[in-house]
């Protein structure tokens, strides 16, 4: 961006700025993490990210960026990098957390909950993906469960559109989503 406007700045200089900003903002990040850990639930997921590693054949390895999102009373989104997908990074990040951990069924999430005393709640967006993958093998069965998922997700989009949150959202989910989830379980 700087080069496009005729201001040539060395990449090393910009990396130095980024490192200085990160060091300056570290106390703010630490406080946000502390507040996030006070959430009733934390939603988490990881995303693979290519990282330079000169010891590898193509100088690239896969690292992970973990996202952690709190509840409405603790509306913080924090990111954490780990070199792999093991549970050590997330374990140190959520140390002391005792609420609900919302995430996919990655075995590390289940182990995290076992070690921290948190309760693992699975993510329906992730669960739905398996039905989509199975659809070519059994269109009839998958069509029914995917219809139920659409109804379930519509409850959330309606709530968002109406600006429903907190206790009202909880009540809406109890009245509309619980019967649907029971239907899914029975199915």
């Amino acid at each position: 961006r700087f080069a496009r406007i005729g201001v040539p700045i060395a990449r090393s200089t910009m990396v130095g700025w980024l490192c200085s900003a990160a060091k300056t903002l570290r106390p703010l990040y630490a406080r946000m993490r502390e507040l996030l850990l006070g959430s009733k639930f934390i939603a988490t997921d990881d995303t693979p990210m290519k990282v330079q590693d000169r010891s590898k054949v193509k100088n690239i390895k896969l690292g992970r960026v973990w996202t952690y999102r709190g509840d409405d009373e603790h509306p913080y989104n924090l990111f954490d990098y780990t070199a792999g997908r093991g549970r050590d990074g997330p374990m140190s990040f959520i140390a002391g957390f005792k609420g609900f951990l919302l995430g996919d069924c990655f075995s590390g999430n289940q182990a995290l909950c076992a070690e921290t005393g948190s309760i693992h709640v699975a993510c329906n967006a992730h669960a739905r993906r398996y039905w989509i993958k199975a659809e070519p093998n059994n269109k009839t069965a998958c069509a029914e469960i995917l219809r139920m998922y659409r109804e379930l997700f519509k409850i959330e989009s309606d709530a968002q559109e109406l600006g429903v949150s907190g206790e009202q959202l909880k009540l809406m989910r109890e009245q509309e989503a619980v019967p649907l989830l029971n239907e899914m379980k029975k199915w």
Side-chain angles (χ1 to χ4, degrees):
R1 199 177 262 179
F2 285 117
R4 281 197 308 263
I5 61 171
V7 182
I9 299 174
R11 180 175 286 192
S12 60
T13 300
M14 290 187 279
V15 168
W17 291 344
L18 187 61
C19 290
S20 293
K23 286 177 188 173
T24 302
L25 294 171
R26 191 75 182 161
L28 178 61
Y29 179 86
R31 178 65 178 146
M32 288 172 69
R33 181 180 162 270
E34 182 182 314
L35 294 170
L36 175 79
L37 294 177
S39 292
K40 291 180 187 112
F41 76 84
I42 294 177
T44 185
D45 202 2
D46 66 299
T47 301
M49 176 179 164
K50 291 181 181 178
V51 180
Q52 186 176 44
D53 184 344
R54 296 194 194 283
S55 69
K56 302 291 180 190
V57 175
K58 294 184 178 182
N59 294 327
I60 299 289
K61 71 173 187 174
L62 275 183
R64 299 283 172 164
V65 174
W66 296 83
T67 304
Y68 300 92
R69 181 178 186 273
D71 59 27
D72 288 343
E73 288 79 41
H74 306 85
Y76 304 103
N77 296 313
L78 295 174
F79 301 90
D80 189 46
Y81 170 80
T82 60
R85 196 170 193 225
R87 67 180 183 208
D88 292 344
M91 177 60 81
S92 67
F93 189 91
I94 67 162
F97 178 66
K98 299 285 185 207
F100 295 94
L101 185 68
L102 171 64
D104 58 19
C105 288
F106 160 57
S107 61
N109 284 340
Q110 295 163 352
L112 284 172
C113 290
E115 289 183 37
T116 63
S118 300
I119 298 168
H120 181 247
V121 289
C123 170
N124 270 305
H126 283 92
R128 179 179 167 268
R129 291 178 191 168
Y130 291 99
W131 292 104
I132 290 170
K133 285 181 184 178
E135 193 173 20
N137 299 318
N138 191 336
K139 289 189 185 304
T140 306
C142 292
E144 179 61 15
I145 194 74
L146 291 172
R147 176 197 59 80
M148 289 186 256
Y149 271 114
R150 279 191 300 278
E151 287 182 33
L152 185 65
F153 292 168
K154 183 156 179 16
I155 296 166
E156 295 300 313
S157 64
D158 288 350
Q160 190 173 21
E161 191 175 300
L162 295 168
V164 176
S165 63
E167 286 301 314
Q168 287 180 315
L169 179 58
K170 181 181 176 193
L171 182 62
M172 185 176 179
R173 287 175 175 161
E174 287 170 352
Q175 291 174 346
E176 297 181 34
V178 169
L180 187 55
L181 289 167
N182 289 336
E183 180 186 346
M184 291 171 88
K185 185 176 180 180
K186 184 179 175 184
W187 179 86

